[in-house]
Amino acid sequence: MIKESDLLTDSFGRKHNYLRISLTERCNLRCSYCMPLEGVELTPSENLMNAVEVFELAQLFVAEGVDKIRLTGGEPTVRKDFPEILTKLSQLPIEISLTTNAVAIDHFIPLLKKTRVQNINVSLDTLDANRFQKITFRNYFDRVYKNIFLLIESGFQVKINAVLMKGVNDDELIDFIEFTKKQPVSFRFIEFMPFDGNQWKREKTVSYEDIINRLGQVYKKEQLIRLKDRPNDTTKNFKIKGYKGTFGIISTVTNPFCDQCNRLRLTANGHLKNCLFSNKEQDLLTALRNKEDLTHRIKIAVSGKKAIRAGMASPERFEDEKQHKGNRSMITIGG
Ligand code: SAM
Ligand code: SF4
């Protein structure tokens, strides 16, 4: 049930009932599209939200109508107090979900069950162990692959996120779709997006259209089923007839879906971002520590939200690398 909240309604009438909280800027992988090769300057730990502050900020948003919180990062499971944070958040009347690289998720299955986490998004950009190492700079393919099956067997709803990049992993598109033949997962193909330090080039992005064309060469028209998308869904969903799982395309670059956006983001250092691509942030953590009224800052963030991609509506503007310079790296935003 979405509470009618003026505070979380923007000037285009979009109600924000979905908060993504980044728990850390750290990660046990180094995916080249997310973490700059030279690394990122980490925020000193005293300037990051502690477990109590995560809960207090979450509580405030829930009181204003947020009913869905996703924990992300960096890699949320590397935080030592991840169990404590999740346990506290599970007291709130919300749906909690998680985005993880699944490297260590096997250690948290009982906790995830206890805290009613149902939906888990796992990043996996290749089905090949050598390639995994090339993309992530770590040799953890076997762990991740095994853990995906563990999550499925444990009854979680699993979505697998793959960032498709030309010449890197786009040759695996059909293998990913064939994975859904026997596995009840949703494989989602995310268009490679530009963020600080990730050497984005439009030519590297595999677009919605590229994917659809490729599908047409492999599957017959009657095999490919377009599924009905849920409200606020960022994904255009499909299925191959008779397959257990589904797949989808997240086309932020070539076909943005901002008119339905219901998301806000809280970074690990407690800054509120109204859009992935916005470099304008409101520092809620400092305000919380100073016991200031937070609603004023939240109002500025929400009412300042632009109609499309932080004002980069046209492809020309969005594809101009200079426009992305003032934003953070994805690893410090929280995807
Ligand atoms: N570590 C966790 C993981 O990898 O799932 C959570 C954080 S990660 C930043 C969240 C999501 O952002 C992942 O699915 C990842 O693929 C996606 N992502 C990161 N950088 C991206 C980029 N440049 N373009 C598109 N998606 C990106
Ligand atoms: Fe880490 Fe996730 Fe970014 Fe990969 S995508 S570097 S796993 S935060």
Side-chain angles (χ1 to χ4, degrees):
M1 265 288 280
I2 302 177
K3 184 186 147 190
E4 293 294 314
S5 162
D6 281 347
L7 188 62
L8 301 187
T9 301
D10 72 11
S11 50
F12 301 92
R14 292 174 295 198
K15 293 184 198 312
H16 295 81
N17 65 315
Y18 185 6
L19 181 67
R20 297 171 90 112
I21 305 180
S22 171
L23 294 186
T24 178
E25 300 170 348
R26 293 177 188 272
C27 190
N28 40 11
L29 299 182
R30 293 278 179 282
C31 306
S32 51
Y33 51 77
C34 175
M35 165 84 103
L37 280 176
E38 65 281 12
V40 287
E41 202 177 317
L42 294 170
T43 304
S45 56
E46 63 272 23
N47 297 339
L48 299 176
M49 296 182 287
N50 63 35
V52 174
E53 289 163 341
V54 170
F55 181 73
E56 284 178 2
L57 288 172
Q59 208 175 16
L60 198 154
F61 280 91
V62 171
E64 294 298 334
V66 160
D67 59 4
K68 202 172 157 193
I69 289 183
R70 176 173 292 277
L71 298 181
T72 179
E75 173 50 37
T77 60
V78 303
R79 236 182 110 142
K80 289 211 173 53
D81 55 2
F82 172 66
E84 184 190 341
I85 293 174
L86 195 48
T87 304
K88 275 182 98 45
L89 290 177
S90 71
Q91 297 164 8
L92 296 171
I94 48 166
E95 179 193 319
I96 311 180
S97 51
L98 178 71
T99 301
T100 173
N101 58 32
V103 167
I105 205 71
D106 47 317
H107 300 288
F108 299 103
I109 303 290
L111 171 77
L112 295 167
K113 289 280 176 193
K114 200 176 91 197
T115 52
R116 298 176 287 102
V117 175
Q118 262 281 304
N119 297 299
I120 302 188
N121 293 0
V122 176
S123 289
L124 182 71
D125 305 301
T126 178
L127 297 171
D128 176 273
N130 290 330
R131 192 174 269 180
F132 184 92
Q133 169 137 30
K134 280 194 187 123
I135 296 173
T136 66
F137 294 92
R138 292 292 181 273
N139 189 14
Y140 291 148
F141 175 79
D142 291 346
R143 282 201 211 181
V144 171
Y145 197 69
K146 213 168 80 209
N147 278 343
I148 288 175
F149 283 92
L150 176 66
L151 288 171
I152 297 170
E153 283 153 19
S154 307
F156 294 101
Q157 289 191 348
V158 178
K159 291 181 181 156
I160 303 179
N161 290 336
V163 178
L164 286 186
M165 288 167 293
K166 281 203 184 123
V168 175
N169 61 350
D170 57 330
D171 57 341
E172 292 188 65
L173 172 67
I174 302 303
D175 296 338
F176 293 143
I177 294 174
E178 286 302 306
F179 186 88
T180 70
K181 186 170 187 173
K182 299 222 171 92
Q183 303 309 328
V185 298
S186 167
F187 228 117
R188 307 189 312 165
F189 309 119
I190 311 180
E191 289 182 346
F192 177 35
M193 299 182 274
F195 295 101
D196 196 44
N198 76 351
Q199 299 170 24
W200 182 84
K201 293 262 175 306
R202 172 65 182 86
E203 312 82 80
K204 290 193 205 164
T205 298
V206 180
S207 70
Y208 178 88
E209 203 185 344
D210 294 337
I211 294 173
I212 298 296
N213 289 340
R214 187 77 208 287
L215 292 176
Q217 292 162 13
V218 177
Y219 300 104
K220 295 197 189 84
K221 231 181 180 171
E222 58 275 19
Q223 280 182 289
L224 183 63
I225 302 166
R226 174 78 167 93
L227 300 171
K228 198 165 180 278
D229 305 325
R230 278 154 302 150
N232 310 110
D233 207 339
T234 54
T235 313
K236 294 177 183 76
N237 296 289
F238 299 83
K239 173 181 185 73
I240 302 295
K241 204 170 175 185
Y243 285 18
K244 273 193 172 170
T246 61
F247 63 94
I249 308 172
I250 303 181
S251 58
T252 316
V253 176
T254 64
N255 199 353
F257 32 77
C258 309
D259 57 330
Q260 296 267 346
C261 186
N262 62 344
R263 288 137 203 255
L264 293 170
R265 291 182 153 80
L266 197 55
T267 60
N269 65 338
H271 288 204
L272 184 64
K273 277 176 94 73
N274 63 18
C275 172
L276 259 183
F277 300 106
S278 172
N279 57 13
K280 305 232 166 23
E281 300 179 356
Q282 284 296 320
D283 180 357
L284 299 190
L285 181 58
T286 303
L288 180 76
R289 288 180 180 178
N290 293 341
K291 301 197 180 347
E292 289 166 24
D293 173 26
L294 299 189
T295 54
H296 174 64
R297 288 179 189 238
I298 297 173
K299 180 122 208 105
I300 294 174
V302 175
S303 62
K305 182 157 170 158
K306 298 280 198 283
I308 298 177
R309 289 185 309 211
M312 294 177 280
S314 69
E316 294 73 29
R317 231 174 126 67
F318 189 70
E319 289 169 20
D320 174 3
E321 287 170 61
K322 288 195 288 297
Q323 301 293 328
H324 300 276
K325 283 282 185 274
N327 198 8
R328 298 170 174 236
S329 299
M330 181 59 135
I331 188 136
T332 66
I333 298 176

